[in-house]
């Protein structure tokens, strides 16, 4: 029941973020917006740690893993997702994110030597088939000038880094690295790394004082980062990165509904037939790991 509550709570916090990211575009460079988001989020967590007098000093080895967590889960992951959102509507981006379940399964096999069953391989096959059906037109009618492909590629790269961050957190948990502190330092290092990348790309450090930008930024930083990542990473520690990755399967459904209402998403036959195949493959993976989330 606790895992179910964590799962549903995380889903409620995270699902709107895919759409709200759109309000971060315009005046401020997307990467600068990511920098603001996780700098605010890390500051909130550090304030909590200071108020409750939690441990803040760690050795270089632990900071190295904080850094890796930050660069993968709180920086590169979002850099590529934000950039993907400049080419695609949010619902389509989340479809690519649903493959995080498959990536987490493969990652557990590679990094933690958790062997995949035949059912897992079959399920992964369904997932790949689902993705091919959904993006069949883009694959068969590839044109260099069609920037939709850029968005799709960026989405999958982002998902890879998100999966890598999941696995790093799983390792940190096994190594008994403090949970809240890893989030605080990870978000801080991630924000700084993003700022470095942004400045390297020539982005200006400016701010948008519009209501839509500030309100969406605060939601993304507080609810979509501090609260959502606390809940999700707790869930990951409880059931493992593979099964926690099921979040990526359910979330696209809600995100697609939001895109349909607010972004005018048109449901094509490829999306209608491909999405159930993708979901079926992911459910098969979960089912062979455990009957419950």
């Amino acid at each position: 029941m606790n895992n179910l509550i964590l799962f549903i709570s995380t889903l409620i916090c995270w699902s709107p973020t895919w759409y709200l990211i759109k309000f971060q575009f315009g005046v401020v460079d997307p990467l600068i917006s990511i920098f603001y988001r996780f700098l605010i989020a890390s500051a909130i967590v550090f304030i909590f740690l200071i108020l409750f007098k939690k441990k803040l000093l760690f050795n270089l080895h632990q900071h190295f893993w904080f850094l890796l967590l930050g660069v993968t889960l709180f920086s590169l992951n979002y850099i590529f997702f934000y950039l993907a959102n400049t080419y695609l509507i949010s619902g389509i981006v989340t479809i690519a994110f649903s493959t995080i379940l498959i990536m987490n399964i493969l990652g557990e096999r590679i990094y933690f030597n958790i062997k995949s069953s035949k059912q897992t391989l079959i399920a992964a096959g369904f997932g790949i088939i689902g993705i091919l059906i959904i993006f069949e037109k883009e694959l068969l009618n590839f044109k260099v000038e069609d920037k939709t492909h850029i968005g799709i590629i960026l989405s999958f790269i982002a998902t890879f880094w998100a999966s890598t961050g999941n696995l790093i957190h799983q390792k940190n948990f096994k190594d008994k690295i403090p949970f809240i502190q890893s989030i605080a330092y990870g978000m801080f290092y991630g924000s700084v790394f993003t700022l470095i990348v942004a400045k390297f790309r020539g982005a200006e450090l400016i701010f948008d004082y519009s209501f839509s930008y500030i309100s969406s930024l605060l939601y993304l930083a507080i609810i979509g980062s501090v609260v959502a990542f606390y809940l999700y990473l707790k869930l990951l520690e409880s059931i493992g990165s593979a099964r926690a990755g099921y979040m990526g399967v359910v979330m696209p459904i809600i995100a697609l509904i939001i895109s349909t209402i607010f972004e005018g998403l048109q449901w094509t036959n490829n999306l209608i037939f491909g999405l159930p195949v993708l979901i079926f493959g992911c459910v098969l993976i979960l089912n062979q790991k455990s009957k419950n989330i």
Side-chain angles (χ1 to χ4, degrees):
M1 181 57 68
N2 288 337
N3 289 338
L4 183 61
I5 292 173
L6 284 173
F7 183 89
I8 294 174
S9 300
T10 307
L11 191 63
I12 292 172
C13 292
W14 251 343
S15 293
T17 62
W18 299 92
Y19 174 65
L20 291 176
I21 286 174
K22 292 290 184 181
F23 294 97
Q24 298 289 285
F25 302 145
V27 177
V28 183
D29 185 274
L31 270 62
I32 296 297
S33 291
I34 299 171
F35 163 67
Y36 291 147
R37 173 177 177 174
F38 286 105
L39 184 65
I40 294 171
S42 66
I44 293 171
V45 183
F46 273 118
I47 290 172
F48 169 85
L49 292 172
I50 293 170
L51 288 176
F52 287 88
K53 298 180 180 180
K54 300 292 184 179
K55 179 182 177 181
L56 289 174
L57 298 178
F58 297 91
N59 59 45
L60 288 177
H61 176 75
Q62 291 168 315
H63 274 283
F64 172 75
W65 287 103
F66 290 154
L67 176 63
L68 284 185
L69 179 68
V71 170
T72 55
L73 194 58
F74 303 123
S75 182
L76 290 175
N77 166 20
Y78 281 91
I79 287 174
F80 286 104
F81 268 131
Y82 271 55
L83 294 177
N85 268 274
T86 63
Y87 297 99
L88 302 169
I89 63 174
S90 59
I92 299 300
V93 175
T94 58
I95 293 174
F97 180 68
S98 67
T99 59
I100 192 172
L101 180 55
I102 298 172
M103 292 186 188
N104 282 356
I105 289 286
L106 295 175
E108 283 191 342
R109 175 68 179 92
I110 295 171
Y111 296 109
F112 302 115
N113 199 31
I114 298 176
K115 295 182 179 180
S116 301
S117 68
K118 290 182 180 179
Q119 186 171 332
T120 296
L121 298 176
I122 293 172
F126 273 103
I128 294 171
I129 291 172
I131 289 294
L132 291 176
I133 292 174
I134 293 169
F135 296 118
E136 176 259 342
K137 291 183 179 179
E138 286 78 6
L139 292 172
L140 295 181
N141 301 304
F142 177 80
K143 294 180 181 178
V144 175
E145 62 272 17
D146 185 357
K147 294 185 178 181
T148 300
H149 297 88
I150 298 176
I152 294 172
I153 292 170
L154 291 174
S155 298
F156 283 115
I157 294 174
T159 305
F160 167 79
W161 287 118
S163 176
T164 302
N166 283 193
L167 297 167
I168 289 173
H169 179 76
Q170 194 169 342
K171 180 188 183 304
N172 288 348
F173 172 68
K174 291 179 181 295
D175 292 342
K176 295 182 170 31
I177 293 179
F179 174 71
I180 302 295
Q181 289 89 330
S182 69
I183 293 179
Y185 280 108
M187 287 182 172
F188 174 73
Y189 285 137
S191 67
V192 173
F193 182 82
T194 301
L195 178 62
I196 293 172
V197 175
K199 296 303 292 182
F200 181 78
R201 295 176 69 242
E204 294 184 46
L205 192 62
I206 58 176
F207 194 79
D208 183 353
Y209 293 94
S210 67
F211 174 78
S212 60
Y213 183 84
I214 294 175
S215 58
S216 59
L217 176 62
L218 289 177
Y219 182 94
L220 291 168
I222 299 171
I223 306 299
S225 297
V226 176
V227 178
F229 271 107
Y230 173 83
L231 295 170
Y232 175 72
L233 293 177
K234 275 293 183 184
L235 179 68
L236 186 150
E237 290 179 358
S238 177
I239 65 177
S241 60
R243 288 158 62 201
Y246 186 60
M247 188 73 61
V249 181
V250 179
M251 200 181 302
I253 300 173
I254 299 176
L256 286 169
I257 293 173
I258 293 174
S259 283
T260 302
I261 297 172
F262 295 104
E263 298 178 283
L265 171 65
Q266 299 296 317
W267 286 65
T268 63
N269 288 333
N270 292 75
L271 182 55
I272 293 171
F273 292 115
L275 189 60
V277 175
L278 173 61
I279 293 173
F280 178 70
C282 292
V283 170
L284 277 182
I285 288 178
L286 285 172
N287 192 50
Q288 65 89 30
K289 296 286 286 184
S290 173
K291 295 295 182 181
N292 303 299
I293 67 168

